[in-house]
Each structure stands twice: as C-alpha cells, then as structure tokens.
C-alpha cells in the first residue's frame, strides 16, 4: 500500500469550502417532521448466551417503513445504561444476533440498525427498501434517486438512522442522556449525520467515515462506492451540477457544523475507499469538541480492535466509568 491522497500534514491543512444548500435546514426539518413515528417493538431472542439479553428490533423508519435491528443488554443490568447505537458499513446487514457483543460485554446497551436494501456482503440483512428508482442507476446505492434530494436513497437511510437514535432514548433500559452513535465507513457517515440532525445524541464516534466531501471523494477515491457516482456521470455527462447538489444534502461534512456532541473520529491515511482528506474535511467542520485517531499505515480497515479500545476508554472518560 501507499498514499493515494494527501499527507498527514496536508490533511490537517485541508479545509474545503463546501457548498451548503440554502434550504438544507428546511429540507431535513420537513423530512424528519413528516410524521411522528410509531413506537419501536422488541422481541426476545434466544441466542443460548447467558450474560447478554438480545432482542430483535423493529423501528418505523422513513415513511413508517419497518427497519430491523438487534438490541443487546447486559443480563445483570438493573439501572438505565449508556447506549451505543451502531450503523453499519456499505453492503452490511444486521447479521446474526450473537455477532456483535463488544459493547454489551462492556456494560452498555447496544442497538444495531439494519441497512435498508443492503446486507449482501459480510453480514446478511433483513430490511427491504420498497422505493422504486428510475432506470439508469449504477449498481449500488449512491446513484439511486441521485438527481433529486427528495428521491435520493440516503435521505431515507439517514431518516432511518435518526429514528433508531430516537428509539434508543425512549427504551426503558437506556439512560436518554447517554446515547452514543457510531459506525465504520457508511456507518460513520450516518453517525455524523445523526449527530447533526438529532440534538438528543450525547456523543459520536465516526470511524473512517463515508459520505464526506463528495466533490473531492468522487474524484480521488480509487476503490469503493464513490466510483458509482463517477461511473454515472461518465454516462450522464449533463447532470454533474444536479447530482452534486443532491449529494450536498446528505454530505456529512456539510452537515457536520450543526453537530455539537463530543466526537471521536478515526482516519486511515492509506484508505483507498474513503480518502483521508475527506474524513478530515468532516473533522475540521465538526461543530463540537472533537478528537481524532490517525492510523498512518492502514487502509479502509482503519484501527479495528485498537480503535474499539480507544472508543471504550474515551467513553469511560466522558461518562465516568
């Protein structure tokens, strides 16, 4: 591997002047206020494990459509817990109920959101995306409805993510003042968007975040989903302005100034999927107190288990162990 983007020093200096839609606030206020969601439901799941209780979750997402997930709780917990809400990477679904146990093992409630229409790569999903998109989209999700902010796939997915954070705050086992959002790659971008759009978040931990600084990411990423946009524009040569306008409504770096909760970022300097400069763009524009862990010799895997320990120590410091 080698650097495919800026150096660490150049990333620290990189502060792009991103275009912010004039109606950005109104767009998301209208989207998230369209209807009051129904209550989430929780069905116990017998995993055979004795120290963690697991529930299959259904949360009404965008348009009230059911979005599935898992909730893990330490079996011996008697008081409301801090809760980590996790959003998943591109292509991943919620997987099997016993796969992600780190946060519950550490004493947190852990709410995992399935990703509508995804779940074909490392972990299966169980949430359909009922929306019908026009012909001509590139395989994947970044060009589904990309000519209109109203129809764009990520408008729906970000709404789902906000609904999960709201559901976490309303669960009786959760302390509503200690809800944390996190995720890797696509999940990191979603966590930033939720932190910007939902003031009930107490902290955010985006790892190698996707959905950041689209104008640069589409042009410099050498692997991964950003190439879907470049491929689309190579065919639809007259739609560049329209496409980048739509993308600006969900760009986590554009939304980041509205977020005020403490944040712990991670960036990998040899990341070919989410160029480090784009992650730093979101970091620099983030509106709250923030820290970043930089992994100089890692690709898109980032810090992995090392970063989990960084996150755990950071949350212990933030909330008191």
């Amino acid at each position: 591997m080698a650097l495919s983007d800026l150096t660490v020093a150049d990333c620290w200096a990189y502060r792009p002047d991103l275009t912010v839609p004039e109606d950005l606030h109104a767009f998301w206020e209208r989207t998230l206020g369209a209807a009051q969601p129904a209550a989430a439901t929780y069905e116990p799941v017998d995993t055979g494990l004795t120290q963690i209780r697991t529930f299959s979750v259904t949360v009404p997402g965008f348009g009230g459509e059911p979005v599935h997930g898992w909730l893990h709780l330490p079996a011996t917990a008697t008081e409301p817990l801090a809760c980590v809400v996790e959003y998943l990477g591109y292509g991943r679904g919620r997987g099997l109920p016993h796969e992600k146990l780190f946060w519950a093992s550490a004493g947190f409630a852990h709410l995992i959101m399935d990703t509508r229409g995804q779940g074909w790569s490392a972990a299966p999903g169980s949430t359909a995306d009922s929306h019908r998109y026009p012909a001509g989209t590139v395989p994947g999700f970044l060009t589904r409805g990309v000519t209109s902010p109203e129809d764009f796939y990520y408008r729906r997915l970000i709404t789902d993510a906000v609904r999960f954070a709201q559901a976490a705050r309303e669960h009786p086992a959760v302390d509503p003042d200690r809800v944390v959002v996190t995720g890797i790659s696509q999940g990191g971008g979603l966590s930033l968007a939720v932190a910007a759009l939902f003031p009930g978040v107490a902290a955010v931990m985006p790892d190698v975040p996707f959905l950041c600084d689209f104008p640069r990411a589409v042009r410099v990423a050498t692997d991964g989903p950003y190439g879907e946009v470049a491929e689309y524009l190579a065919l639809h040569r007259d739609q560049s302005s329209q496409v980048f306008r739509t993308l600006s409504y969900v760009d986590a770096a554009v939304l980041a100034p509205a977020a005020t909760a403490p944040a712990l970022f991670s960036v990998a300097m040899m990341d070919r999927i989410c160029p480090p400069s784009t992650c730093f763009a979101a970091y620099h524009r983030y509106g709250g107190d923030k820290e970043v862990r930089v992994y100089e010799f890692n690709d898109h895997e980032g810090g992995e288990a090392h970063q989990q320990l960084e996150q755990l120590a950071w949350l212990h410091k933030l909330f008191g162990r």
Side-chain angles (χ1 to χ4, degrees):
M1 291 187 298
L3 289 177
S4 59
D5 192 18
L6 304 180
T7 65
V8 174
D10 287 339
C11 281
W12 278 111
Y14 176 65
R15 298 171 184 268
D17 185 16
L18 298 177
T19 300
V20 180
E22 291 183 0
D23 64 339
L24 180 67
H25 176 75
F27 172 83
W28 281 111
E29 189 175 61
R30 181 174 69 252
T31 296
L32 297 174
Q36 290 299 317
T41 61
Y42 302 86
E43 296 293 333
V45 175
D46 183 4
T47 62
L49 305 178
T50 60
Q51 300 305 304
I52 293 173
R53 292 185 294 141
T54 296
F55 300 82
S56 182
V57 179
T58 302
V59 173
F62 182 92
E65 296 171 349
V67 180
H68 302 298
W70 302 118
L71 174 66
H72 300 305
L73 299 172
T76 59
T78 58
E79 297 181 356
L81 303 167
C83 180
V84 174
V85 182
E86 182 176 359
Y87 309 116
L88 302 172
Y90 193 84
R92 292 176 179 267
R94 67 173 180 170
L96 300 177
H98 65 276
E99 289 187 66
K100 289 177 170 284
L101 303 178
F102 176 82
W103 290 110
S105 299
F108 293 79
H110 184 199
L111 181 61
I112 302 166
M113 186 184 87
D114 202 17
T115 312
R116 62 167 61 228
Q118 298 188 31
W120 73 86
S121 62
S126 59
T127 300
D129 184 16
S130 65
H131 197 68
R132 295 294 178 263
Y133 299 95
T137 60
V138 173
F141 293 86
L142 271 185
T143 65
R144 293 192 177 188
V146 75
T147 58
S148 165
E150 299 287 338
D151 292 335
F152 191 34
Y153 169 84
Y154 278 93
R155 178 191 181 215
R156 300 159 67 79
L157 190 58
I158 288 172
T159 301
D160 295 344
V162 170
R163 300 299 188 222
F164 262 71
Q166 291 173 324
R169 293 196 82 220
E170 294 165 2
H171 195 282
V174 172
D175 178 351
D177 294 327
R178 293 187 294 161
V179 170
V180 182
V181 290
T182 190
I184 300 171
S185 190
Q186 177 180 256
L190 291 175
S191 69
L192 282 169
V194 172
L197 297 171
F198 181 50
V201 168
V204 55
M205 303 186 298
D207 286 341
V208 291
F210 183 49
L211 308 175
C212 295
D213 190 0
F214 279 103
R216 179 170 176 81
V218 169
R219 291 174 170 88
V220 304
T222 59
D223 198 359
Y226 286 123
E228 295 169 19
V229 178
E231 187 177 351
Y232 180 89
L233 291 176
L235 179 63
H236 301 279
R237 297 171 176 85
D238 59 338
Q239 295 183 13
S240 178
S241 296
Q242 191 175 1
V243 164
F244 280 107
R245 178 178 178 272
T246 294
L247 293 172
S248 69
Y249 284 86
V250 305
D251 192 322
V254 171
L255 293 168
T260 58
L264 176 64
F265 285 70
S266 76
V267 179
M269 293 308 300
M270 293 188 177
D271 194 334
R272 294 168 293 177
I273 292 176
C274 294
S277 60
T278 67
C279 302
F280 268 96
Y283 174 80
H284 289 315
R285 291 171 58 85
Y286 189 82
D289 293 338
K290 59 203 175 189
E291 300 177 30
V292 62
R293 305 291 185 265
V294 177
Y295 296 95
E296 190 172 358
F297 298 100
N298 286 94
D299 197 348
H300 193 54
E301 75 279 359
E304 295 187 309
H306 292 272
Q307 183 63 14
Q308 275 193 316
L309 292 178
E310 290 287 327
Q311 291 174 334
L312 182 59
W314 186 76
L315 287 181
H316 281 164
K317 182 179 179 181
L318 185 66
F319 294 145
R321 184 159 184 161

